[in-house]
Amino acid sequence: MSENIDPNVSENKQIQLQNTFLKESNFSIHKVLQESSSNNLDESFETRNIFLKDANFPNNSNNKTNNSTEGNSELKTSENSNKNELLPSQENIQKIEFKDEKIDENSETSSDGEGYRKNHSKADITSRRWQKKKKHYFILSTAGKPIYSRYGDESKLSSFMGIIQAIVSTVSNLQDEIKSMKIGNRNFVFLLREPLYLVLSSTEKETEMQLVSELEYIYDQVLCILTYTQLSRIFEVHGNFDLRRLLGGTENIIDNLIDRMQYDPCFFLGSLESLPMSYLEREKIGNALIEKHPKSLLFGFITYKFEIVNLVRHHKINLHPSDLMILFNMAQSSTSMSANEVWTPFCFPRFNKNGFLFVYISSLAENINLFLVATERDKFYELFEHKNTIKTYMDKYGCFEKLSSCIKTDHIDNISKNIKLDNVKFISFKSKKYVQHINFIGKKMKGTKTNTIEGELLKITKMFRYCRKNFVSTENSLTEEPIKLNYMSTSFEHILAWNTVDFEMYAAFDLTKSIDNAIDTINLFVRHIKRNTEFYFVTNPPSLK
């Protein structure tokens, strides 16, 4: 691909360049006005002491650091507690009743790639299978034109979209804005971002804020392809424009995003997953990223299957985790990712929703990917040469061998040498300071025969989200004391969730583990993570000056 790129191409040729990556992802964008990135970068970001901004859309109040000692936030059972410690016992844990549900054909994920869309593209609102779906996602224009439906053919849902538009307009005429409504056992939440309306219909036990956060991610995914300025300009000129003419073929990217939101903790935690590795080896990879870097480089990062290995950034710039999540999702949805080098305009909505930055994506090794971002469209060759510099540096210092060793290492086995984790199915631990999390899949889940790991993750993550709902609802309450601990027991596993000012932690154990033993295990696990923070998280990324 690189040999076809000329930095002095015309505007029309540049638009074709933008579509090169998109076509590989089954895109069919025809006429998109190119948006240059903002020249006033200082107005596009907020300087902070940490390198990633918390992406908890419903509530950002948790993004605080606390220098409290380890003992102040340690969990203990009633047997280990003493009168000088204000630590919860089993009796103090908020217990949740949760109805067991099977993962069936109505679950939001599918194993056939295009799934429901491929096999039931002619489904309409009267279809029983369509109605049985627990979650529906819709995008329409302010004029009521259908743009996207997670299930079925949008054109078959024109009347339904028209009803949604009429409801929004009726409430707007009353000088108000609709946020949500309930019909039977279905909750409808609305995200009104003119010229688009996004709607989610759900029968799940999730809060309005949790559902809106999913719509926020979907909206950002749309903006990454067409900037807010482009959308506004199109509908100012043609209010009844059919946006599917521009977004046709992008459904698989939004479909994949919706599927991942159901089982990937990064979305409900609002953080990026990091790859555990030693601080010194991570530092070498960071040095490779800044080695003889071009001045045009704004930020860059190396990932393993979209787990952050290390990153570099301009010292005044902080990226929002959701911007990286939608970039990773777009790259993951592309069949060209593993085979080609990609140079594409990409809008980072939380950074600047009105313009494009330009992203160079390359595979350094199997599942090891490089992302380099510049502000100017003619910097492909500079970033291409910088990729070669990075590879040379990493080869010289044996970074690929170390990375391969880290990837092959089962870190939960290493922890098990000091902590008994035989009964652990899944653990997700988020550091609020670094806005990153780590996931541990236990042997109990890896050895399951009844479900795939993804199916197990879907079920367990669903319960994690349910626990988090209780954390968020009480944090915003003026009358209730914030819940710090949740315990849940189902026919399949025990769930223990713990929320402090420093971290969030969610753990699933099999039924052979008692609650007291689970708390002891969690205490030991948290101590281990705190002692090895630099191993598990990217704590000191280098800066570009």
Side-chain angles (χ1 to χ4, degrees):
M1 173 178 167
S2 59
E3 62 270 22
N4 296 323
I5 297 179
D6 185 347
N8 298 315
V9 292
S10 63
E11 184 74 14
N12 290 335
K13 192 69 176 177
Q14 183 63 39
I15 295 175
Q16 295 176 12
L17 172 62
Q18 175 182 355
N19 292 337
T20 301
F21 171 64
L22 303 181
K23 287 178 181 177
E24 295 291 344
S25 306
N26 297 320
F27 283 85
S28 58
I29 294 182
H30 304 299
K31 295 180 181 178
V32 181
L33 297 175
Q34 187 63 267
E35 285 292 327
S36 60
S37 56
S38 172
N39 292 325
N40 299 319
L41 293 179
D42 289 333
E43 298 177 2
S44 304
F45 55 81
E46 176 183 354
T47 302
R48 299 187 47 155
N49 292 326
I50 58 176
F51 74 93
L52 288 174
K53 189 175 179 181
D54 199 334
N56 291 325
F57 296 117
N59 179 20
N60 286 326
S61 63
N62 289 337
N63 190 25
K64 299 178 183 179
T65 59
N66 190 314
N67 296 324
S68 60
T69 62
E70 182 178 323
N72 287 337
S73 56
E74 179 183 345
L75 279 171
K76 286 198 175 182
T77 63
S78 55
E79 294 178 318
N80 297 330
S81 299
N82 61 55
K83 62 183 180 180
N84 296 321
E85 295 173 314
L86 300 175
L87 301 171
S89 63
Q90 179 177 344
E91 290 75 19
N92 300 126
I93 297 177
Q94 173 76 13
K95 187 170 182 179
I96 306 172
E97 294 183 2
F98 194 87
K99 182 180 179 181
D100 295 331
E101 297 184 23
K102 295 181 180 179
I103 305 301
D104 57 17
E105 69 277 4
N106 295 319
S107 65
E108 303 306 319
T109 59
S110 60
S111 59
D112 59 356
E114 296 178 20
Y116 187 93
R117 181 176 304 281
K118 178 179 179 180
N119 298 320
H120 301 274
S121 60
K122 295 183 180 180
D124 58 32
I125 196 172
T126 62
S127 165
R128 183 176 179 182
R129 180 162 183 164
W130 188 90
Q131 294 176 4
K132 284 174 66 179
K133 291 293 177 181
K134 295 177 181 177
K135 279 186 173 181
H136 285 281
Y137 300 79
F138 307 103
I139 305 177
L140 62 152
S141 69
T142 52
K145 282 278 188 179
I147 297 172
Y148 172 85
S149 172
R150 174 63 182 93
Y151 302 107
D153 185 349
E154 296 85 7
S155 62
K156 305 295 183 181
L157 300 172
S158 297
S159 299
F160 181 73
M161 300 284 194
I163 294 173
I164 293 176
Q165 191 273 338
I167 293 173
V168 174
S169 297
T170 300
V171 176
S172 178
N173 291 337
L174 299 174
Q175 306 301 314
D176 206 344
E177 181 177 296
I178 187 168
K179 299 291 186 183
S180 64
M181 65 180 186
K182 187 169 185 177
I183 301 176
N185 66 338
R186 277 197 176 272
N187 290 316
F188 289 79
V189 295
F190 297 77
L191 181 67
L192 308 184
R193 294 287 186 268
E194 294 189 359
L196 304 181
Y197 296 155
L198 295 90
V199 182
L200 198 166
S201 165
S202 174
T203 59
E204 300 281 14
K205 297 179 180 179
E206 295 175 277
T207 66
E208 178 182 327
M209 288 186 293
Q210 286 176 311
L211 298 176
V212 169
S213 73
E214 293 190 31
L215 294 179
E216 290 275 9
Y217 283 116
I218 296 171
Y219 179 65
D220 286 349
Q221 191 75 74
V222 173
L223 289 188
C224 82
I225 303 165
L226 294 170
T227 67
Y228 177 77
T229 300
Q230 288 178 340
L231 281 174
S232 300
R233 189 179 300 165
I234 289 169
F235 284 97
E236 282 176 6
V237 177
H238 304 287
N240 209 33
F241 184 77
D242 187 351
L243 198 62
R244 287 177 296 175
R245 291 166 54 189
L246 294 183
L247 295 180
T250 64
E251 294 92 345
N252 70 306
I253 291 188
I254 302 177
D255 288 351
N256 290 340
L257 175 67
I258 291 172
D259 286 348
R260 286 189 61 208
M261 284 192 292
Q262 310 312 312
Y263 67 83
D264 193 334
C266 74
F267 293 96
F268 81 84
L269 290 175
S271 60
L272 297 171
E273 185 175 1
S274 57
L275 178 72
M277 67 185 308
S278 73
Y279 180 84
L280 291 178
E281 296 304 327
R282 199 187 301 275
E283 188 177 43
K284 288 179 183 177
I285 294 174
N287 291 336
L289 285 167
I290 61 174
E291 177 74 7
K292 300 178 181 178
H293 69 273
K295 293 182 179 180
S296 59
L297 182 64
L298 192 62
F299 40 80
F301 33 92
I302 292 176
T303 65
Y304 167 71
K305 287 186 176 179
F306 309 118
E307 297 174 29
I308 290 291
V309 177
N310 208 342
L311 59 85
V312 295
R313 62 182 176 86
H314 193 277
H315 67 285
K316 291 184 178 180
I317 296 176
N318 292 298
L319 264 185
H320 200 288
S322 70
D323 282 343
L324 298 186
M325 292 176 201
I326 62 173
L327 173 61
F328 293 166
N329 181 69
M330 187 173 180
Q332 190 178 44
S333 303
S334 170
T335 57
S336 68
M337 177 65 194
S338 60
N340 300 313
E341 293 174 312
V342 174
W343 175 246
T344 180
F346 188 90
C347 175
F348 293 85
R350 301 279 165 168
F351 177 75
N352 177 16
K353 67 179 181 179
N354 295 313
F356 286 116
L357 296 177
F358 296 85
V359 183
Y360 173 81
I361 308 173
S362 179
S363 178
L364 299 178
E366 184 179 2
N367 293 322
I368 299 175
N369 307 306
L370 171 68
F371 297 79
L372 301 175
V373 183
T375 58
E376 301 173 36
R377 68 184 67 179
D378 61 350
K379 300 301 182 182
F380 169 82
Y381 288 116
E382 285 190 10
L383 299 186
F384 173 77
E385 291 299 327
H386 187 47
K387 184 264 300 202
N388 291 333
T389 301
I390 291 171
K391 288 193 70 172
T392 301
Y393 187 98
M394 292 180 67
D395 281 329
K396 179 180 178 180
Y397 290 96
C399 296
F400 288 112
E401 290 78 5
K402 294 294 184 181
L403 253 177
S404 178
S405 176
C406 289
I407 291 166
K408 293 177 181 178
T409 300
D410 191 339
H411 295 288
I412 202 163
D413 283 343
N414 289 340
I415 300 175
S416 297
K417 294 176 182 178
N418 301 312
I419 307 172
K420 189 175 182 181
L421 298 175
D422 295 341
N423 303 106
V424 170
K425 299 182 76 173
F426 186 67
I427 295 177
S428 190
F429 182 98
K430 174 187 175 180
S431 167
K432 293 183 178 180
K433 178 178 181 180
Y434 300 112
V435 202
Q436 299 168 45
H437 71 275
I438 47 175
N439 296 324
F440 294 92
I441 299 177
K443 293 180 180 179
K444 287 290 183 180
M445 193 161 78
K446 288 180 179 178
T448 183
K449 296 180 180 180
T450 56
N451 287 318
T452 64
I453 290 181
E454 185 177 287
E456 283 287 296
L457 279 174
L458 175 62
K459 176 165 58 73
I460 291 173
T461 303
K462 181 178 178 179
M463 292 184 283
F464 285 178
R465 288 157 60 128
Y466 192 79
C467 289
R468 196 169 197 276
K469 177 187 76 171
N470 290 272
F471 292 152
V472 173
S473 61
T474 57
E475 283 174 352
N476 297 329
S477 174
L478 297 177
T479 58
E480 297 182 67
E481 184 178 347
I483 294 174
K484 297 299 182 183
L485 288 168
N486 276 176
Y487 167 68
M488 178 191 305
S489 184
T490 74
S491 301
F492 304 101
E493 56 264 313
H494 299 303
I495 303 294
L496 188 63
W498 186 13
N499 182 32
T500 75
V501 294
D502 296 319
F503 64 84
E504 290 180 53
M505 183 174 182
Y506 303 82
F509 300 87
D510 71 13
L511 296 177
T512 61
K513 195 84 165 179
S514 70
I515 180 62
D516 286 344
N517 288 335
I519 290 177
D520 290 338
T521 299
I522 292 301
N523 272 324
L524 295 172
F525 184 88
V526 171
R527 287 178 183 174
H528 172 81
I529 297 297
K530 286 187 174 184
R531 285 195 299 264
N532 299 277
T533 299
E534 292 181 339
F535 178 80
Y536 289 107
F537 302 111
V538 182
T539 58
N540 188 30
S543 296
L544 302 169
K545 298 181 180 179

